[in-house]
Amino acid sequence: MKLCHFEAGIDQPLFLIAGPCVIESEALALETAFKLKEMTDELGIPFIYKSSYDKANRSSTKSFRGLGVEEGLRILQKVKDEIGVPVLTDVHEDTPLDEVASVVDVMQTPAFLVRQTNFIQNVCRQGIPVNIKKGQFQAPWDMDQVVAKAREVGNEHIMVCDRGTSFGYNTLISDMRGLASMRQTGCPVVFDATHSVQQPGGNGTTSGGQREMVPVLARAAIAAGISGIFMETHPDPKNALSDGPNMWPLGNLKPLLQTMQRLDALVKSEGFIESEFLG
């Protein structure tokens, strides 16, 4: 599949979607985008910058949601123009989709909205690539029907993304078998390594997270066989305004990218013997 300026698929090198959870300021967006582009250019990893102008799925109304659509899109446009990278943002049911699609290169649908048929199809009707997150409440093979809905409106540029599955209170678990199952959709599979360590609502008015487990799950997902990795990152996660406990520190990202890149090349050079049995 053609994704922005590169080819994405299980037979292609790993790509990265990364950035802070929420747009906190223009300065932070430009700083992180510049550093991420510098890293990925050096390593030769295709890169899409991610940050949300609005996060509707907050634990509390007191939680920071972002800067709003007008200011958020202005900043994302500036990131595109000044840093020279494609950009991705989340959209919601009340999003002015045509306005967002005129700025961003990829739209992302939240996991909680994956079963909203009208929403999924309206997003896909914008005609740009869409990263559809699997619901925390879904089996991996349920994504077959989600993708079918998306393709019904004529958009073939669809990715499917796993961000963990609900497993008891305030807990998510990542089943690596699910990544192989999701490959059967025929879409590039993305693994969200940072939301997978989130503890939804675990801190009462905010979500908790196990940041130390991000590299563990990222390495396992690469070994399972994926097309892209999604990671929220921040220069100072402890003081981030959203999802700090599960974001990976920007200063520690490069060595992890190098490990993932080597694992990806090894796994893909050997092929996927399980494909013979998965069909």
Side-chain angles (χ1 to χ4, degrees):
M1 168 183 134
K2 186 73 174 179
L3 179 60
C4 302
H5 58 282
F6 57 90
E7 292 293 327
I10 195 63
D11 58 345
Q12 299 293 325
L14 184 76
F15 66 87
L16 173 70
I17 299 170
C21 176
V22 172
I23 300 171
E24 298 180 12
S25 68
E26 178 182 305
L28 178 71
L30 291 171
E31 175 194 354
T32 53
F34 175 79
K35 289 181 178 177
L36 285 164
K37 183 177 189 297
E38 193 174 48
M39 270 185 234
T40 53
D41 279 354
E42 182 181 339
L43 297 174
I45 297 174
F47 166 58
I48 299 170
Y49 180 78
K50 180 272 168 185
S51 205
S52 299
Y53 65 84
D54 177 36
K55 294 291 285 188
N57 53 332
R58 299 289 80 194
S59 298
S60 164
T61 55
K62 296 180 175 62
S63 298
F64 180 74
R65 288 183 52 163
L67 301 179
V69 63
E70 184 176 343
E71 179 67 357
L73 290 180
R74 183 192 70 79
I75 291 172
L76 288 172
Q77 184 67 62
K78 191 161 188 178
V79 168
K80 286 181 66 171
D81 294 342
E82 293 196 7
I83 309 300
V85 293
V87 297
L88 173 153
T89 199
D90 294 296
V91 291
H92 304 283
E93 287 182 298
D94 58 353
T95 293
L97 295 174
D98 56 347
E99 187 177 346
V100 175
S102 71
V103 172
V104 305
D105 301 278
V106 184
M107 290 195 289
Q108 180 168 276
T109 60
F112 286 124
L113 298 180
V114 69
R115 287 184 59 87
Q116 299 300 103
T117 301
N118 290 350
F119 170 68
I120 293 294
Q121 291 193 326
N122 286 338
V123 173
C124 293
R125 282 192 182 97
Q126 304 309 308
I128 66 173
V130 179
N131 188 32
I132 302 178
K133 287 198 170 184
K134 180 187 82 65
Q136 300 94 322
F137 45 84
Q138 281 186 309
W141 44 87
D142 290 341
M143 290 301 287
D144 292 349
Q145 293 306 313
V146 179
V147 169
K149 291 176 185 181
R151 287 175 172 159
E152 280 179 9
V153 300
N155 193 336
E156 294 294 326
H157 294 84
I158 306 298
M159 295 174 282
V160 290
C161 180
D162 188 8
R163 53 137 311 151
T165 302
S166 295
F167 189 79
Y169 298 130
N170 306 122
T171 305
L172 298 170
I173 191 166
S174 293
D175 182 354
M176 296 301 153
R177 298 172 300 177
L179 298 173
S181 294
M182 288 168 63
R183 292 205 305 260
Q184 304 312 297
T185 61
C187 300
V189 175
V190 179
F191 180 68
D192 182 342
T194 47
H195 284 109
S196 291
V197 303
Q198 188 184 62
Q199 295 169 317
N203 291 340
T205 58
T206 61
S207 291
Q210 292 180 295
R211 183 185 303 117
E212 68 277 9
M213 291 298 171
V214 168
V216 176
L217 292 184
R219 292 192 300 262
I222 301 295
I226 56 174
S227 300
I229 194 88
F230 176 107
M231 300 182 71
E232 289 184 340
T233 184
H234 193 285
D236 184 14
K238 290 183 180 178
N239 291 302
L241 299 181
S242 177
D243 275 4
N246 54 261
M247 276 198 283
W248 189 247
L250 184 62
N252 297 95
L253 182 58
K254 186 177 177 181
L256 180 54
L257 288 178
Q258 290 173 312
T259 298
M260 292 191 296
Q261 188 179 38
R262 290 194 294 268
L263 280 172
D264 180 71
L266 174 62
V267 171
K268 288 176 178 171
S269 70
E270 297 292 329
F272 299 96
I273 193 169
E274 67 272 14
S275 298
E276 176 185 345
F277 302 96
L278 289 170

